[in-house]
Amino acid sequence: IAPMVEAPKPPSSNILKENGVLMLVEEFNQEKIMPIVAQIMEYNLMDDDDQPEFLNLIINSPGGSVHSAFHLIDMIKSSAIPVKTFGHGIVASCGVLTVMAGEPGHRYLAHNASTMSHQYSWGSSGKEHELFAKFKEFEMASDRMIEHYKKCTGKNKRYIRKHLLHNTDEWLTPDECVTHGIVDHVWRTY
């Protein structure tokens, strides 16, 4: 009987990491964003000669926890290395918050992307005093979102409430996202 020979392993490739490419292609939660947060921190701690000129964050997500999204957004905004954002597939809810947080002039949306903006939503239950406390956080999170939209889009609160954060989900074409200041460019692949 011939001895078992282990097949050679393919060489590992770090080409994405070496070129500053990060991907969030799932729901926003702490488990999913922490590797991205940690990687942005690592890039910023590298010797200047080893750092990429830009970080490139690819987003394809239906949304998720707004608190996790703002954790990632704070890291993007505090990065000394500018972060370009690229929306593909579905860019909804927290995905919109994050794609608009990219480096101004370097926020892209693929021409086939589906994009949705909506008001903050959060399920809650509990005793009366617990609900009042949760309502305060609900109001603060809504205010945080409005301020983020204002800073990233250059639009005022009235405009944002009318076009982007009104009573129903707002599905947007990539060109509408440019008009509303969510992204700077539509990336046309063909």
Side-chain angles (χ1 to χ4, degrees):
I1 297 175
M4 298 260 319
V5 177
E6 194 172 312
K9 293 180 181 176
S12 64
S13 173
N14 289 324
I15 197 159
L16 293 177
K17 184 177 179 181
E18 290 167 4
N19 287 285
V21 177
L22 307 163
M23 290 188 227
L24 179 59
V25 294
E26 297 181 69
E27 181 178 319
F28 280 75
N29 61 44
Q30 282 304 107
E31 181 184 350
K32 302 300 182 204
I33 64 116
M34 281 311 297
I36 299 167
V37 167
Q39 191 63 58
I40 292 171
M41 291 174 73
E42 283 184 34
Y43 283 121
N44 278 273
L45 292 172
M46 290 175 146
D47 291 333
D48 291 346
D49 293 340
D50 296 329
Q51 290 179 348
E53 183 180 354
F54 283 96
L55 300 180
N56 303 283
L57 176 58
I58 297 168
I59 301 162
N60 178 1
S61 173
S65 165
V66 74
H67 299 96
S68 295
F70 274 116
H71 184 174
L72 178 56
I73 289 164
D74 287 343
M75 186 54 59
I76 290 168
K77 291 299 196 182
S78 65
S79 175
I81 305 168
V83 179
K84 296 180 182 182
T85 52
F86 299 85
H88 295 265
I90 185 164
V91 181
S93 188
C94 293
V96 171
L97 289 172
T98 307
V99 80
M100 75 170 73
E103 181 71 14
H106 298 280
R107 303 172 305 167
Y108 301 86
L109 197 58
H111 73 280
N112 285 320
S114 293
T115 308
M116 188 268 289
S117 174
H118 66 171
Q119 295 176 350
Y120 177 59
S121 63
W122 185 25
S124 190
S125 63
K127 296 179 183 134
E128 181 180 17
H129 70 278
E130 295 166 332
L131 291 173
F132 280 118
K134 290 176 183 177
F135 183 73
K136 180 178 180 184
E137 168 53 17
F138 191 88
E139 286 181 321
M140 291 188 312
S142 291
D143 290 344
R144 230 178 274 130
M145 280 182 62
I146 291 286
E147 286 306 308
H148 181 66
Y149 270 77
K150 285 169 57 177
K151 289 175 186 172
C152 294
T153 66
K155 308 296 185 192
N156 62 38
K157 181 177 180 177
R158 182 182 216 177
Y159 181 97
I160 292 163
R161 282 287 185 201
K162 180 178 180 182
H163 298 286
L164 301 170
L165 297 177
H166 47 76
N167 293 336
T168 60
D169 293 348
E170 183 66 32
W171 288 94
L172 303 160
T173 68
D175 289 325
E176 288 172 325
C177 288
V178 171
T179 299
H180 293 308
I182 292 169
V183 295
D184 305 304
H185 309 284
V186 176
W187 181 21
R188 302 191 191 282
T189 55
Y190 58 86

